[in-house]
Amino acid sequence: MTPTQEPPTQKSGTALATLRELPQNVWNSIFRNPLPSTDLERSSTSFTNFFLHIHPVKVNKNTLRPTYTMGLGLIATFLFVILVVTGVLLMFYYVPSTTQAYDRMLDLRGTVAFGIFLRNMHRWSAHGMVAIVFLHMCRVYFTGAYKRPREFNWVLGVLLLLVTLFLSFTGYLLPWDQLAFWAITVGTSIAGYAPLVGKQMQFVLLGDTTVGQEALLRFYVLHVAVLPAVLVLMMAIHFWRIRKDGGLSRPEVAAAPPPDAGVVKIKKVYGLQGFVRGPFTKLGNVPDNSVYSWPNLLMAELFVFVLTISLILVVALLFNAPLEQPVNVMHPPNPAKAPWYFLGLQEMVSYSAFWGGIGIPGLMVAMLFAVPYIDRTTHGVGKWFAKERLLANTIFLTLVILNVIFIVIGTFFRGPNWTLVSPF
Ligand code: HEM
Protein backbone atom coordinates (compact mmCIF):
# COMPACT_ATOMS: atom_id res chain seq x y z
CA MET A 1 0.00 0.00 0.00
CA THR A 2 1.38 3.44 -0.92
CA PRO A 3 1.41 6.17 1.72
CA THR A 4 -1.32 8.05 -0.15
CA GLN A 5 -3.67 5.12 -0.58
CA GLU A 6 -6.97 5.19 1.27
CA PRO A 7 -7.16 2.60 4.09
CA PRO A 8 -9.82 -0.11 3.71
CA THR A 9 -13.13 1.49 4.47
CA GLN A 10 -15.19 -1.43 5.79
CA LYS A 11 -16.74 0.07 8.91
CA SER A 12 -19.73 -1.79 10.14
CA GLY A 13 -19.36 -5.07 8.22
CA THR A 14 -23.04 -5.04 7.33
CA ALA A 15 -24.15 -5.99 3.84
CA LEU A 16 -25.60 -2.50 3.35
CA ALA A 17 -22.31 -0.81 4.25
CA THR A 18 -20.38 -3.15 1.91
CA LEU A 19 -22.75 -2.24 -0.88
CA ARG A 20 -22.50 1.47 -0.17
CA GLU A 21 -18.72 1.37 -0.17
CA LEU A 22 -18.51 -0.85 -3.25
CA PRO A 23 -17.95 1.88 -5.92
CA GLN A 24 -15.24 3.59 -3.84
CA ASN A 25 -13.52 0.27 -3.07
CA VAL A 26 -13.56 -0.79 -6.74
CA TRP A 27 -12.17 2.62 -7.74
CA ASN A 28 -9.41 2.42 -5.09
CA SER A 29 -8.47 -1.09 -6.17
CA ILE A 30 -7.78 0.16 -9.71
CA PHE A 31 -6.39 3.65 -9.08
CA ARG A 32 -3.95 3.47 -6.20
CA ASN A 33 -3.53 7.23 -5.91
CA PRO A 34 -5.89 10.16 -5.65
CA LEU A 35 -5.38 12.92 -8.23
CA PRO A 36 -1.87 14.05 -7.24
CA SER A 37 -1.48 17.37 -5.51
CA THR A 38 1.89 16.91 -3.79
CA ASP A 39 5.30 15.98 -5.24
CA LEU A 40 5.19 12.61 -3.50
CA GLU A 41 1.80 11.85 -5.05
CA ARG A 42 3.05 12.98 -8.48
CA SER A 43 5.96 10.53 -8.24
CA SER A 44 3.78 7.77 -6.91
CA THR A 45 1.25 8.22 -9.72
CA SER A 46 3.98 7.86 -12.37
CA PHE A 47 5.24 4.70 -10.67
CA THR A 48 1.99 2.88 -10.04
CA ASN A 49 -0.16 3.66 -13.08
CA PHE A 50 0.30 1.11 -15.87
CA PHE A 51 -0.13 3.70 -18.62
CA LEU A 52 2.09 6.28 -16.96
CA HIS A 53 4.95 4.15 -15.70
CA ILE A 54 6.65 4.42 -19.11
CA HIS A 55 7.39 8.03 -18.13
CA PRO A 56 10.18 9.02 -15.80
CA VAL A 57 9.00 10.73 -12.61
CA LYS A 58 10.75 13.92 -13.71
CA VAL A 59 11.86 15.18 -17.11
CA ASN A 60 14.33 17.81 -18.15
CA LYS A 61 12.67 21.08 -19.19
CA ASN A 62 14.41 20.89 -22.57
CA THR A 63 12.37 17.74 -23.38
CA LEU A 64 9.19 19.80 -23.17
CA ARG A 65 10.34 22.59 -25.47
CA PRO A 66 8.03 22.28 -28.52
CA THR A 67 10.69 23.83 -30.73
CA TYR A 68 13.19 21.12 -29.79
CA THR A 69 11.39 17.86 -30.65
CA MET A 70 8.46 19.45 -32.53
CA GLY A 71 6.56 16.53 -30.98
CA LEU A 72 7.39 14.51 -34.11
CA GLY A 73 8.17 11.20 -32.38
CA LEU A 74 4.93 11.51 -30.42
CA ILE A 75 2.91 12.40 -33.51
CA ALA A 76 4.33 9.28 -35.24
CA THR A 77 3.30 7.20 -32.20
CA PHE A 78 -0.23 8.62 -32.13
CA LEU A 79 -0.63 8.17 -35.89
CA PHE A 80 0.29 4.53 -35.39
CA VAL A 81 -2.37 4.22 -32.67
CA ILE A 82 -4.98 5.77 -35.01
CA LEU A 83 -3.85 3.36 -37.74
CA VAL A 84 -4.27 0.34 -35.48
CA VAL A 85 -7.76 1.38 -34.32
CA THR A 86 -9.06 2.28 -37.80
CA GLY A 87 -7.23 -0.70 -39.32
CA VAL A 88 -8.90 -3.19 -36.97
CA LEU A 89 -12.30 -1.67 -37.76
CA LEU A 90 -11.58 -1.92 -41.50
CA MET A 91 -10.65 -5.60 -41.04
CA PHE A 92 -14.28 -6.34 -40.14
CA TYR A 93 -15.20 -5.51 -43.74
CA TYR A 94 -12.19 -6.37 -45.84
CA VAL A 95 -11.55 -9.69 -47.61
CA PRO A 96 -8.07 -10.29 -49.10
CA SER A 97 -9.35 -11.87 -52.29
CA THR A 98 -8.88 -10.57 -55.82
CA THR A 99 -12.57 -11.17 -56.53
CA GLN A 100 -13.89 -9.41 -53.41
CA ALA A 101 -11.39 -6.76 -52.25
CA TYR A 102 -12.50 -4.04 -54.66
CA ASP A 103 -16.20 -4.65 -53.98
CA ARG A 104 -15.49 -4.31 -50.28
CA MET A 105 -13.97 -0.90 -50.99
CA LEU A 106 -17.17 0.08 -52.79
CA ASP A 107 -19.17 -1.20 -49.80
CA LEU A 108 -17.14 1.00 -47.49
CA ARG A 109 -17.98 3.93 -49.71
CA GLY A 110 -21.63 3.11 -50.24
CA THR A 111 -23.20 1.01 -47.50
CA VAL A 112 -21.05 0.82 -44.38
CA ALA A 113 -21.85 3.56 -41.85
CA PHE A 114 -18.86 5.93 -41.71
CA GLY A 115 -16.99 3.43 -43.93
CA ILE A 116 -15.51 6.04 -46.23
CA PHE A 117 -14.54 8.18 -43.25
CA LEU A 118 -12.80 5.22 -41.63
CA ARG A 119 -10.89 4.48 -44.81
CA ASN A 120 -9.94 8.14 -45.24
CA MET A 121 -8.60 8.31 -41.68
CA HIS A 122 -6.56 5.14 -42.22
CA ARG A 123 -5.17 6.23 -45.55
CA TRP A 124 -4.18 9.76 -44.56
CA SER A 125 -2.70 8.60 -41.24
CA ALA A 126 -0.54 6.10 -43.14
CA HIS A 127 0.79 8.75 -45.53
CA GLY A 128 1.23 11.13 -42.59
CA MET A 129 3.16 8.57 -40.60
CA VAL A 130 5.68 8.00 -43.41
CA ALA A 131 6.28 11.75 -43.71
CA ILE A 132 6.40 12.39 -39.94
CA VAL A 133 8.80 9.50 -39.22
CA PHE A 134 11.09 10.89 -41.93
CA LEU A 135 10.89 14.40 -40.42
CA HIS A 136 11.51 12.95 -36.93
CA MET A 137 14.68 11.32 -38.25
CA CYS A 138 15.76 14.70 -39.67
CA ARG A 139 15.11 16.41 -36.31
CA VAL A 140 17.17 13.76 -34.50
CA TYR A 141 19.99 14.22 -37.00
CA PHE A 142 20.00 18.03 -37.03
CA THR A 143 20.09 18.16 -33.22
CA GLY A 144 22.98 15.64 -33.10
CA ALA A 145 20.79 13.36 -30.95
CA TYR A 146 22.19 10.18 -32.52
CA LYS A 147 25.51 10.58 -30.73
CA ARG A 148 26.74 8.50 -27.81
CA PRO A 149 24.95 7.03 -25.85
CA ARG A 150 22.05 7.07 -28.33
CA GLU A 151 23.76 5.27 -31.25
CA PHE A 152 21.72 2.11 -30.88
CA ASN A 153 18.44 4.00 -30.62
CA TRP A 154 19.28 5.72 -33.89
CA VAL A 155 19.89 2.30 -35.50
CA LEU A 156 16.54 1.12 -34.12
CA GLY A 157 15.04 4.29 -35.58
CA VAL A 158 16.39 3.52 -39.05
CA LEU A 159 14.80 0.06 -38.78
CA LEU A 160 11.55 1.70 -37.64
CA LEU A 161 11.63 3.94 -40.72
CA LEU A 162 12.14 0.92 -43.02
CA VAL A 163 9.33 -1.06 -41.35
CA THR A 164 7.03 2.00 -41.55
CA LEU A 165 7.71 2.29 -45.29
CA PHE A 166 7.12 -1.41 -45.82
CA LEU A 167 3.92 -1.31 -43.75
CA SER A 168 2.57 1.52 -45.85
CA PHE A 169 3.68 -0.18 -49.07
CA THR A 170 1.94 -3.48 -48.22
CA GLY A 171 -1.28 -1.60 -47.43
CA TYR A 172 -1.17 0.12 -50.80
CA LEU A 173 -2.12 -3.08 -52.64
CA LEU A 174 -5.18 -3.96 -50.55
CA PRO A 175 -7.88 -1.85 -52.32
CA TRP A 176 -7.08 -3.86 -55.45
CA ASP A 177 -7.75 -1.01 -57.85
CA GLN A 178 -5.64 0.16 -60.79
CA LEU A 179 -3.61 2.53 -58.61
CA ALA A 180 -2.78 -0.23 -56.11
CA PHE A 181 -2.01 -2.91 -58.67
CA TRP A 182 0.33 -0.87 -60.84
CA ALA A 183 2.05 0.92 -57.96
CA ILE A 184 2.94 -2.43 -56.41
CA THR A 185 3.92 -3.87 -59.80
CA VAL A 186 6.36 -0.97 -60.26
CA GLY A 187 7.52 -1.03 -56.62
CA THR A 188 8.25 -4.76 -56.53
CA SER A 189 9.96 -4.67 -59.93
CA ILE A 190 12.46 -2.20 -58.39
CA ALA A 191 13.32 -4.94 -55.83
CA GLY A 192 13.89 -7.28 -58.80
CA TYR A 193 16.87 -5.16 -59.94
CA ALA A 194 18.98 -6.32 -57.00
CA PRO A 195 21.91 -8.41 -58.24
CA LEU A 196 21.86 -12.20 -57.71
CA VAL A 197 18.87 -12.38 -55.34
CA GLY A 198 16.63 -9.71 -56.89
CA LYS A 199 14.29 -12.04 -58.77
CA GLN A 200 14.10 -14.46 -55.85
CA MET A 201 13.28 -11.62 -53.47
CA GLN A 202 10.53 -10.43 -55.80
CA PHE A 203 9.15 -13.97 -55.99
CA VAL A 204 9.12 -14.40 -52.21
CA LEU A 205 7.31 -11.08 -51.87
CA LEU A 206 4.70 -11.82 -54.55
CA GLY A 207 4.40 -15.60 -54.15
CA ASP A 208 4.32 -15.64 -57.95
CA THR A 209 6.01 -13.97 -60.90
CA THR A 210 3.34 -11.26 -61.15
CA VAL A 211 1.06 -9.41 -58.73
CA GLY A 212 -2.03 -11.60 -58.14
CA GLN A 213 -3.96 -13.50 -55.47
CA GLU A 214 -0.80 -14.83 -53.78
CA ALA A 215 0.67 -11.34 -53.54
CA LEU A 216 -2.58 -9.93 -52.15
CA LEU A 217 -2.66 -12.57 -49.41
CA ARG A 218 1.02 -12.11 -48.53
CA PHE A 219 0.72 -8.34 -48.44
CA TYR A 220 -2.41 -8.63 -46.28
CA VAL A 221 -0.79 -10.91 -43.69
CA LEU A 222 2.33 -8.74 -43.58
CA HIS A 223 0.19 -5.60 -43.32
CA VAL A 224 -2.26 -6.63 -40.59
CA ALA A 225 -0.16 -9.00 -38.47
CA VAL A 226 3.56 -9.39 -39.06
CA LEU A 227 4.71 -5.80 -39.60
CA PRO A 228 2.51 -4.14 -36.92
CA ALA A 229 3.77 -6.71 -34.39
CA VAL A 230 7.39 -6.02 -35.40
CA LEU A 231 6.77 -2.26 -35.22
CA VAL A 232 5.16 -2.45 -31.75
CA LEU A 233 8.06 -4.50 -30.41
CA MET A 234 10.65 -2.15 -31.89
CA MET A 235 8.79 0.93 -30.65
CA ALA A 236 8.77 -0.53 -27.14
CA ILE A 237 12.55 -1.01 -27.28
CA HIS A 238 12.91 2.52 -28.78
CA PHE A 239 11.04 4.07 -25.82
CA TRP A 240 12.84 1.90 -23.28
CA ARG A 241 16.16 2.99 -24.71
CA ILE A 242 15.18 6.67 -24.40
CA ARG A 243 14.80 6.07 -20.63
CA LYS A 244 18.04 4.11 -20.39
CA ASP A 245 19.95 6.75 -22.36
CA GLY A 246 19.01 9.33 -19.72
CA GLY A 247 15.97 10.87 -21.40
CA LEU A 248 16.05 12.98 -24.53
CA SER A 249 19.25 14.67 -25.66
CA ARG A 250 19.88 18.19 -24.43
CA PRO A 251 22.69 20.70 -24.44
CA GLU A 252 25.40 19.91 -21.95
CA VAL A 253 25.06 21.84 -18.69
CA ALA A 254 28.28 23.02 -17.09
CA ALA A 255 28.62 21.42 -13.66
CA ALA A 256 28.34 23.94 -10.84
CA PRO A 257 31.33 23.93 -8.50
CA PRO A 258 30.52 22.45 -5.08
CA PRO A 259 29.80 25.25 -2.57
CA ASP A 260 32.83 24.38 -0.41
CA ALA A 261 35.21 23.65 -3.28
CA GLY A 262 38.83 24.06 -2.27
CA VAL A 263 38.03 23.92 1.45
CA VAL A 264 37.37 20.27 2.16
CA LYS A 265 37.99 17.45 -0.32
CA ILE A 266 34.56 15.83 -0.57
CA LYS A 267 34.33 12.28 -1.76
CA LYS A 268 31.41 12.23 -4.23
CA VAL A 269 28.41 10.24 -2.98
CA TYR A 270 25.79 8.70 -5.21
CA GLY A 271 22.33 7.54 -4.29
CA LEU A 272 21.09 4.23 -5.65
CA GLN A 273 19.41 6.06 -8.51
CA GLY A 274 22.88 7.32 -9.50
CA PHE A 275 23.21 4.11 -11.52
CA VAL A 276 20.69 5.54 -13.99
CA ARG A 277 22.29 7.94 -16.43
CA GLY A 278 21.09 11.55 -16.58
CA PRO A 279 22.18 14.68 -14.80
CA PHE A 280 19.38 15.05 -12.30
CA THR A 281 20.09 11.68 -10.72
CA LYS A 282 23.58 12.66 -9.61
CA LEU A 283 23.83 14.31 -6.27
CA GLY A 284 24.51 18.01 -6.14
CA ASN A 285 26.72 18.54 -9.19
CA VAL A 286 24.34 20.11 -11.72
CA PRO A 287 21.46 22.55 -11.44
CA ASP A 288 18.13 20.72 -11.25
CA ASN A 289 16.53 21.69 -14.52
CA SER A 290 13.72 19.16 -14.30
CA VAL A 291 9.98 19.20 -13.74
CA TYR A 292 7.50 16.51 -12.74
CA SER A 293 6.11 14.42 -15.59
CA TRP A 294 2.70 14.74 -13.98
CA PRO A 295 1.23 17.06 -15.13
CA ASN A 296 3.85 18.76 -17.35
CA LEU A 297 4.81 15.97 -19.76
CA LEU A 298 1.34 14.47 -19.67
CA MET A 299 -0.35 17.73 -20.66
CA ALA A 300 2.15 18.21 -23.49
CA GLU A 301 1.43 14.67 -24.73
CA LEU A 302 -2.32 15.20 -24.47
CA PHE A 303 -1.99 18.41 -26.46
CA VAL A 304 -0.03 16.63 -29.23
CA PHE A 305 -2.60 13.83 -29.29
CA VAL A 306 -5.54 16.24 -29.61
CA LEU A 307 -3.70 18.13 -32.34
CA THR A 308 -2.89 14.94 -34.28
CA ILE A 309 -6.37 13.43 -34.12
CA SER A 310 -8.03 16.77 -34.93
CA LEU A 311 -5.86 17.21 -38.00
CA ILE A 312 -6.55 13.68 -39.22
CA LEU A 313 -10.30 14.11 -38.63
CA VAL A 314 -10.37 17.36 -40.61
CA VAL A 315 -8.31 15.93 -43.49
CA ALA A 316 -10.46 12.77 -43.54
CA LEU A 317 -13.61 14.91 -43.71
CA LEU A 318 -12.28 17.07 -46.53
CA PHE A 319 -10.48 14.58 -48.77
CA ASN A 320 -11.48 11.12 -49.88
CA ALA A 321 -8.91 8.34 -50.22
CA PRO A 322 -8.43 7.56 -53.92
CA LEU A 323 -10.19 4.60 -55.49
CA GLU A 324 -9.65 4.07 -59.19
CA GLN A 325 -11.11 1.53 -61.60
CA PRO A 326 -10.89 -2.17 -60.65
CA VAL A 327 -7.66 -3.94 -61.64
CA ASN A 328 -7.18 -4.42 -65.36
CA VAL A 329 -3.92 -6.24 -66.03
CA MET A 330 -4.21 -5.48 -69.76
CA HIS A 331 -4.34 -1.70 -69.29
CA PRO A 332 -1.43 -0.25 -67.36
CA PRO A 333 -1.76 3.48 -66.77
CA ASN A 334 0.92 5.51 -68.51
CA PRO A 335 3.00 6.26 -66.55
CA ALA A 336 2.51 3.63 -63.83
CA LYS A 337 3.84 5.21 -60.66
CA ALA A 338 5.04 3.72 -57.37
CA PRO A 339 3.66 5.18 -54.10
CA TRP A 340 4.90 8.77 -53.61
CA TYR A 341 7.58 7.86 -51.05
CA PHE A 342 9.19 5.53 -53.62
CA LEU A 343 8.87 8.00 -56.51
CA GLY A 344 12.37 9.34 -55.81
CA LEU A 345 13.60 5.79 -56.37
CA GLN A 346 11.51 5.40 -59.51
CA GLU A 347 12.89 8.68 -60.81
CA MET A 348 16.44 7.42 -60.25
CA VAL A 349 15.55 4.04 -61.80
CA SER A 350 14.63 5.92 -64.98
CA TYR A 351 18.34 6.85 -65.25
CA SER A 352 19.83 3.55 -64.15
CA ALA A 353 17.84 0.50 -63.02
CA PHE A 354 20.55 -0.91 -60.78
CA TRP A 355 22.01 2.29 -59.36
CA GLY A 356 18.66 4.04 -58.98
CA GLY A 357 16.76 1.10 -57.54
CA ILE A 358 19.38 -0.71 -55.49
CA GLY A 359 22.88 0.83 -55.52
CA ILE A 360 22.21 4.38 -54.32
CA PRO A 361 19.31 3.57 -51.95
CA GLY A 362 21.30 0.66 -50.48
CA LEU A 363 24.27 2.96 -49.93
CA MET A 364 22.03 5.60 -48.32
CA VAL A 365 20.51 3.12 -45.88
CA ALA A 366 23.97 1.71 -45.04
CA MET A 367 25.20 5.26 -44.40
CA LEU A 368 22.20 5.98 -42.20
CA PHE A 369 22.97 2.91 -40.06
CA ALA A 370 26.64 3.90 -39.86
CA VAL A 371 26.18 7.62 -39.01
CA PRO A 372 26.60 7.39 -35.20
CA TYR A 373 29.57 5.05 -35.53
CA ILE A 374 31.36 7.30 -38.03
CA ASP A 375 30.70 10.58 -36.23
CA ARG A 376 32.25 9.93 -32.80
CA THR A 377 32.40 13.58 -31.74
CA THR A 378 30.28 14.68 -28.80
CA HIS A 379 29.80 18.35 -29.53
CA GLY A 380 26.74 20.17 -30.83
CA VAL A 381 24.20 17.84 -29.18
CA GLY A 382 20.81 19.20 -28.12
CA LYS A 383 20.82 22.21 -30.43
CA TRP A 384 19.31 22.61 -33.90
CA PHE A 385 21.95 23.23 -36.58
CA ALA A 386 24.80 23.72 -34.11
CA LYS A 387 27.74 25.65 -35.60
CA GLU A 388 30.12 22.84 -34.66
CA ARG A 389 28.17 20.45 -36.92
CA LEU A 390 28.11 22.61 -40.03
CA LEU A 391 29.69 20.01 -42.35
CA ALA A 392 27.66 17.02 -41.07
CA ASN A 393 24.41 19.01 -41.27
CA THR A 394 25.18 20.37 -44.74
CA ILE A 395 25.82 16.88 -46.16
CA PHE A 396 22.61 15.47 -44.65
CA LEU A 397 20.52 18.48 -45.69
CA THR A 398 21.80 18.21 -49.26
CA LEU A 399 20.80 14.54 -49.43
CA VAL A 400 17.37 15.29 -47.93
CA ILE A 401 16.76 18.11 -50.44
CA LEU A 402 17.89 15.91 -53.35
CA ASN A 403 15.50 13.18 -52.21
CA VAL A 404 12.62 15.65 -51.96
CA ILE A 405 13.41 17.12 -55.40
CA PHE A 406 13.38 13.64 -56.96
CA ILE A 407 10.05 12.83 -55.29
CA VAL A 408 8.55 16.14 -56.51
CA ILE A 409 9.78 15.49 -60.07
CA GLY A 410 8.46 11.91 -60.01
CA THR A 411 5.10 13.00 -58.59
CA PHE A 412 4.31 16.13 -60.58
CA PHE A 413 6.61 16.37 -63.57
CA ARG A 414 6.49 12.91 -65.15
CA GLY A 415 3.97 12.13 -67.87
CA PRO A 416 3.41 9.33 -70.42
CA ASN A 417 6.54 7.19 -70.99
CA TRP A 418 8.15 9.01 -68.04
CA THR A 419 8.75 12.12 -70.13
CA LEU A 420 9.05 15.50 -68.43
CA VAL A 421 5.78 17.43 -68.42
CA SER A 422 4.61 20.60 -66.70
CA PRO A 423 2.00 20.04 -63.99
CA PHE A 424 0.54 23.49 -64.68
C1 HEM B 1 7.78 4.43 -36.01
C2 HEM B 1 8.71 5.33 -36.00
C3 HEM B 1 9.18 6.09 -34.78
C4 HEM B 1 8.51 6.40 -33.63
C5 HEM B 1 7.09 6.06 -33.26
C6 HEM B 1 9.44 7.13 -32.78
C7 HEM B 1 9.12 7.67 -31.55
C8 HEM B 1 9.97 8.46 -30.80
C9 HEM B 1 9.60 9.27 -29.68
C10 HEM B 1 8.18 9.38 -29.12
C11 HEM B 1 10.70 9.90 -29.23
C12 HEM B 1 10.78 10.91 -28.09
C13 HEM B 1 10.18 12.25 -28.52
C14 HEM B 1 10.79 12.89 -29.74
O1 HEM B 1 12.03 12.89 -29.89
O2 HEM B 1 10.03 13.38 -30.59
C15 HEM B 1 11.81 9.46 -30.05
C16 HEM B 1 13.13 9.82 -29.86
C17 HEM B 1 14.18 9.35 -30.64
N1 HEM B 1 14.06 8.73 -31.86
FE1 HEM B 1 12.38 8.00 -32.63
N2 HEM B 1 10.64 7.23 -33.43
C18 HEM B 1 10.52 6.63 -34.65
C19 HEM B 1 11.48 6.58 -35.65
C20 HEM B 1 12.78 7.04 -35.51
C21 HEM B 1 13.75 7.17 -36.57
C22 HEM B 1 13.46 6.91 -38.03
C23 HEM B 1 14.93 7.57 -35.99
C24 HEM B 1 16.26 7.83 -36.65
C25 HEM B 1 16.71 7.19 -37.66
C26 HEM B 1 14.68 7.72 -34.57
C27 HEM B 1 15.63 8.04 -33.61
C28 HEM B 1 15.33 8.51 -32.36
C29 HEM B 1 16.31 8.95 -31.39
C30 HEM B 1 17.84 8.86 -31.52
C31 HEM B 1 15.60 9.47 -30.31
C32 HEM B 1 16.17 10.14 -29.07
C33 HEM B 1 16.24 11.61 -29.44
C34 HEM B 1 16.84 12.48 -28.37
O3 HEM B 1 17.38 11.96 -27.41
O4 HEM B 1 16.76 13.72 -28.55
N3 HEM B 1 13.37 7.42 -34.31
N4 HEM B 1 11.34 8.60 -31.02
Side-chain angles (χ1 to χ4, degrees), residues 39-362:
D39 285 351
L40 182 64
E41 285 169 1
R42 282 183 197 106
S43 314
S44 186
T45 300
S46 296
F47 271 130
T48 55
N49 184 298
F50 175 78
F51 294 103
L52 299 182
H53 87 278
I54 193 171
H55 301 89
V57 169
K58 293 178 99 182
V59 284
N60 191 283
K61 279 186 196 150
N62 193 61
T63 303
L64 298 176
R65 265 178 44 218
T67 49
Y68 184 61
T69 62
M70 309 245 172
L72 292 167
L74 263 186
I75 298 177
T77 311
F78 291 141
L79 283 175
F80 180 67
V81 173
I82 296 172
L83 280 163
V84 171
V85 173
T86 52
V88 167
L89 291 174
L90 285 171
M91 278 174 74
F92 285 113
Y93 300 102
Y94 183 77
V95 182
S97 141
T98 53
T99 53
Q100 288 196 53
Y102 186 78
D103 288 345
R104 295 295 175 135
M105 290 295 122
L106 294 180
D107 285 350
L108 281 174
R109 201 155 68 174
T111 53
V112 176
F114 300 108
I116 180 87
F117 188 58
L118 212 56
R119 181 166 173 244
N120 291 350
M121 278 184 78
H122 195 74
R123 182 80 167 208
W124 301 136
S125 301
H127 286 319
M129 187 167 166
V130 170
I132 293 289
V133 170
F134 182 76
L135 290 176
H136 169 61
M137 177 181 72
C138 294
R139 149 1 232 166
V140 170
Y141 187 91
F142 290 128
T143 53
Y146 57 81
K147 297 191 184 192
R148 209 169 15 171
R150 297 181 178 80
E151 304 100 316
F152 182 63
N153 220 11
W154 167 271
V155 170
L156 263 176
V158 178
L159 288 172
L160 277 170
L161 173 69
L162 296 178
V163 176
T164 304
L165 283 171
F166 198 35
L167 199 52
S168 192
F169 183 65
T170 47
Y172 219 85
L173 183 63
L174 306 187
W176 203 249
D177 63 345
Q178 280 285 77
L179 181 69
F181 181 85
W182 292 104
I184 300 305
T185 300
V186 171
T188 49
S189 69
I190 294 178
Y193 297 133
L196 304 176
V197 291
K199 287 291 164 213
Q200 282 87 335
M201 251 167 47
Q202 195 181 357
F203 189 83
V204 169
L205 205 58
L206 298 182
D208 203 340
T209 47
T210 53
V211 178
Q213 176 59 61
E214 296 310 314
L216 184 57
L217 192 57
R218 284 182 190 207
F219 274 47
Y220 177 73
V221 174
L222 285 170
H223 187 72
V224 304
V226 181
L227 295 174
V230 171
L231 203 73
V232 166
L233 181 70
M234 280 174 24
M235 269 162 66
I237 306 175
H238 196 55
F239 298 155
W240 179 78
R241 276 244 60 105
I242 294 176
R243 291 286 299 275
K244 296 297 158 192
D245 293 339
L248 291 195
S249 57
R250 52 196 168 270
E252 214 158 76
V253 182
D260 43 5
V263 182
V264 189
K265 192 94 177 123
I266 302 172
K267 201 163 172 265
K268 217 183 261 173
V269 178
Y270 291 92
L272 188 59
Q273 74 271 46
F275 288 114
V276 182
R277 264 184 246 134
F280 47 78
T281 56
K282 291 180 192 147
L283 292 182
N285 62 347
V286 282
D288 180 17
N289 205 14
S290 59
V291 289
Y292 279 92
S293 296
W294 179 294
N296 303 287
L297 178 58
L298 234 65
M299 283 303 140
E301 288 179 349
L302 193 67
F303 176 75
V304 174
F305 177 69
V306 171
L307 199 76
T308 310
I309 188 117
S310 312
L311 215 84
I312 289 298
L313 286 175
V314 170
V315 174
L317 274 174
L318 293 180
F319 304 99
N320 278 341
L323 185 68
E324 293 189 0
Q325 293 301 307
V327 169
N328 184 343
V329 291
M330 305 308 287
H331 277 109
N334 190 5
K337 292 189 180 184
W340 65 268
Y341 37 84
F342 286 150
L343 276 183
L345 290 192
Q346 196 177 352
E347 175 63 18
M348 290 196 291
V349 165
S350 68
Y351 305 110
S352 157
F354 170 76
W355 282 108
I358 302 295
I360 295 177

